[in-house]
């Protein structure tokens, strides 16, 4: 097993069963705090706020959760009434007018595809289906099924009309899946809601997609630790974040097993196969959306493309890094 390290980008390579956890190292018991945890987007969501005005913090946390629930309704692939489900039903046949929000997230997803040479790709949905992530099944797909699904996969199959705010898929079987970016997007929007409610310090954590707003009480920043998946309780690295986000993509929490072998839920859109070899990738950036998309992309790209990571990092780097 190899551990590779770069500025604000960490890749763990190897195989086996590992336990991973991100945890906060400071500030949880200081100041006037409000902390609430709910289940959202199929994972745990925790929002913490620190403010001298407790009522304001309670209101802010409630509104931030409301915003995330709204986003889940728009982007859920499991809800057949979501906007994404409607797009998937219609856009392969004809143009569909969509909300500005769905249009812009699609546009930005295509941007992340371009800068990762197609490693991140929201059109991975047909592959997620045949590998059994949508309707769970326990058999390997045929090579022919994979080849067939691959014909409809590829971000270049998405045609956008920014004047009409419409989407059209150039292949009738193309479908989109925002699973690799929607959590980060929701975290950014929740953080915006906290800020618009006058909150200066807080944390939003949706399944390892974290935005650290301001600083921990009495500290200069938020210190967020990444636990070593090889050694429970041991810290691998800690990030000192202020108004920045962190996201981890891993294969130890979401995966499926066929014949005793683990398959990751992150699929290489170029080969149609689940990615293997890397345990987790953690990315820190100025937005949770960017960190989410790029941690998924880098999980696919693997360490062979390490020179490329610098390029991605460069494009997203904050002025202070
Ligand atoms: P994450 O946990 O953020 O790395 O995202 C994984 C989720 O993104 C999966 O459950 C799929 O819904 C979706 N996904 C899988 N492979 C890809 C890919 N290559 N590009 C974009 N999204 C993907
Ligand atoms: Mg992601």
């Amino acid at each position: 097993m190899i551990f590779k390290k770069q500025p604000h980008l960490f890749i763990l390579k190897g195989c086996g069963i590992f336990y991973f956890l991100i945890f906060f190292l400071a500030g949880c018991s200081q100041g006037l705090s409000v902390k609430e945890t709910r289940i959202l987007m199929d994972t745990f969501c925790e929002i913490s706020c620190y403010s001298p005005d407790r009522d304001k913090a309670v209101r802010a946390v409630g509104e931030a959760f409301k915003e995330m629930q709204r986003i889940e309704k728009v982007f859920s692939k499991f809800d057949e009434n979501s906007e994404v489900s409607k797009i998937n039903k219609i856009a392969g046949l004809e143009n569909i007018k969509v909300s500005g929000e769905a249009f812009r997230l699609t546009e930005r997803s295509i941007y992340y595809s371009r800068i990762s040479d197609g490693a991140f790709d929201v059109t991975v949905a047909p592959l997620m289906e045949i590998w059994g992530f949508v309707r769970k099944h326990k058999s390997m797909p045929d090579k022919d099924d994979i080849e067939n699904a691959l014909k409809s996969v590829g971000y270049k199959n998405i045609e956008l009309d920014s004047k009409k705010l419409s989407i059209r898929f150039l292949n009738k079987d193309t479908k989109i899946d925002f699973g690799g970016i929607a959590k980060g997007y929701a975290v950014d929007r929740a953080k915006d809601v906290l800020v618009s409610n006058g909150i200066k310090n807080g944390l939003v954590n949706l399944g390892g997609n974290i935005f650290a707003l301001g600083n921990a009480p009495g500290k200069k920043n938020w210190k967020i630790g990444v636990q070593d998946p090889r050694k429970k309780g041991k810290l691998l690295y800690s990030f000192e974040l202020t108004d920045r986000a962190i996201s981890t993509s891993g294969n130890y929490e979401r995966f499926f097993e066929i014949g005793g072998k683990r398959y990751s839920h992150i699929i290489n859109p170029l080969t149609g196969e689940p990615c293997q070899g890397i345990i987790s990738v953690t990315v820190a950036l100025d937005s949770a959306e960017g960190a989410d998309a790029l941690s998924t992309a880098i999980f696919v790209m693997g360490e062979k493309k390490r020179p490329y990571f610098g390029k991605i990092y460069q494009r997203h780097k904050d002025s202070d890094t």
Side-chain angles (χ1 to χ4, degrees):
M1 187 163 67
I2 308 161
F3 170 50
K4 301 284 181 190
K5 182 171 130 177
Q6 281 206 180
H8 291 202
L9 194 157
F10 298 85
I11 302 169
L12 278 168
K13 193 167 177 285
C15 54
I17 303 167
F18 292 95
Y19 175 73
F20 174 87
L21 178 73
I22 285 180
F23 55 94
F24 312 120
L25 300 171
C28 293
S29 59
Q30 302 166 49
L32 273 174
S33 70
V34 173
K35 192 193 286 187
E36 199 179 326
T37 307
R38 297 188 194 173
I39 303 278
L40 261 175
M41 297 190 178
D42 210 19
T43 188
F44 286 98
C45 180
E46 184 178 275
I47 304 181
S48 320
C49 270
Y50 296 84
S51 165
D53 182 341
R54 200 182 144 76
D55 289 346
K56 188 162 91 174
V58 169
R59 204 169 41 245
V61 169
E63 286 187 18
F65 272 118
K66 230 189 246 168
E67 174 66 352
M68 290 173 119
Q69 278 158 346
R70 185 194 66 73
I71 291 168
E72 183 175 16
K73 281 201 176 126
V74 176
F75 293 104
S76 171
K77 63 184 166 195
F78 300 108
D79 174 357
E80 61 173 32
N81 294 315
S82 72
E83 187 168 11
V84 162
S85 296
K86 284 182 193 149
I87 294 170
N88 282 339
K89 266 180 223 144
I90 295 171
L93 307 170
E94 58 189 74
N95 270 302
I96 173 171
K97 191 168 172 357
V98 300
S99 65
E101 182 175 42
F103 189 89
R104 285 187 293 274
L105 192 62
T106 309
E107 221 172 22
R108 293 198 300 278
S109 296
I110 293 173
Y111 163 73
Y112 292 115
S113 293
R114 286 210 190 98
I115 66 164
S116 66
D117 275 352
F120 178 87
D121 198 321
V122 286
T123 65
V124 81
L127 290 166
M128 294 300 288
E129 282 214 12
I130 63 161
W131 278 98
F133 275 112
V134 182
R135 280 171 286 282
K136 309 244 183 285
H137 56 73
K138 293 245 171 189
S139 59
M140 291 278 285
D142 291 341
K143 278 230 149 53
D144 288 353
D145 290 344
I146 297 175
E147 285 301 316
N148 215 23
L150 277 172
K151 287 181 195 149
S152 59
V153 172
Y155 67 97
K156 289 181 182 159
N157 284 324
I158 306 173
E159 196 175 68
L160 299 174
D161 185 330
S162 56
K163 286 206 185 94
K164 292 184 184 150
L165 276 192
S166 68
I167 296 182
R168 171 84 210 249
F169 299 147
L170 301 178
N171 182 303
K172 68 173 178 35
D173 298 320
T174 299
K175 286 190 172 118
I176 47 179
D177 173 345
F178 288 99
I181 189 171
K183 290 191 187 76
Y185 170 68
V187 166
D188 284 336
R189 296 291 72 78
K191 176 269 295 179
D192 288 345
V193 169
L194 297 185
V195 171
S196 64
N197 276 278
I199 300 297
K200 293 192 171 60
N201 304 301
L203 277 170
V204 182
N205 178 8
L206 177 59
N209 297 278
I210 297 167
F211 196 97
L213 175 65
N215 50 269
K219 309 273 176 190
K220 275 202 208 130
N221 48 38
W222 288 98
K223 208 166 184 186
I224 295 175
V226 179
Q227 183 172 302
D228 187 340
R230 296 163 301 188
K231 291 195 189 97
K232 207 172 171 181
K234 189 172 174 259
L235 200 67
L236 193 62
Y237 189 80
S238 67
F239 290 81
E240 293 187 354
L241 305 175
T242 304
D243 296 330
R244 279 172 69 88
I246 187 177
S247 168
T248 298
S249 287
N251 77 353
Y252 40 84
E253 280 181 346
R254 281 173 197 245
F255 58 88
F256 67 108
E257 275 182 25
I258 302 174
K261 190 171 172 193
R262 274 183 179 224
Y263 292 88
S264 126
H265 68 127
I266 298 172
I267 303 215
N268 185 331
L270 305 174
T271 63
E273 304 278 340
C275 300
Q276 286 179 340
I278 286 180
I279 308 167
S280 84
V281 175
T282 299
V283 174
L285 275 184
D286 53 344
S287 79
E289 174 191 297
D292 190 4
L294 293 183
S295 62
T296 306
I298 291 163
F299 196 91
V300 174
M301 292 164 85
E303 63 156 0
K304 281 196 188 123
K305 291 219 176 175
R306 274 165 69 79
Y308 205 99
F309 303 157
K311 191 167 144 199
I312 289 177
Y313 177 69
Q314 213 51 38
R315 288 187 195 222
H316 287 266
K317 157 172 126 149
D318 278 351
S319 51
D320 63 344
T321 48

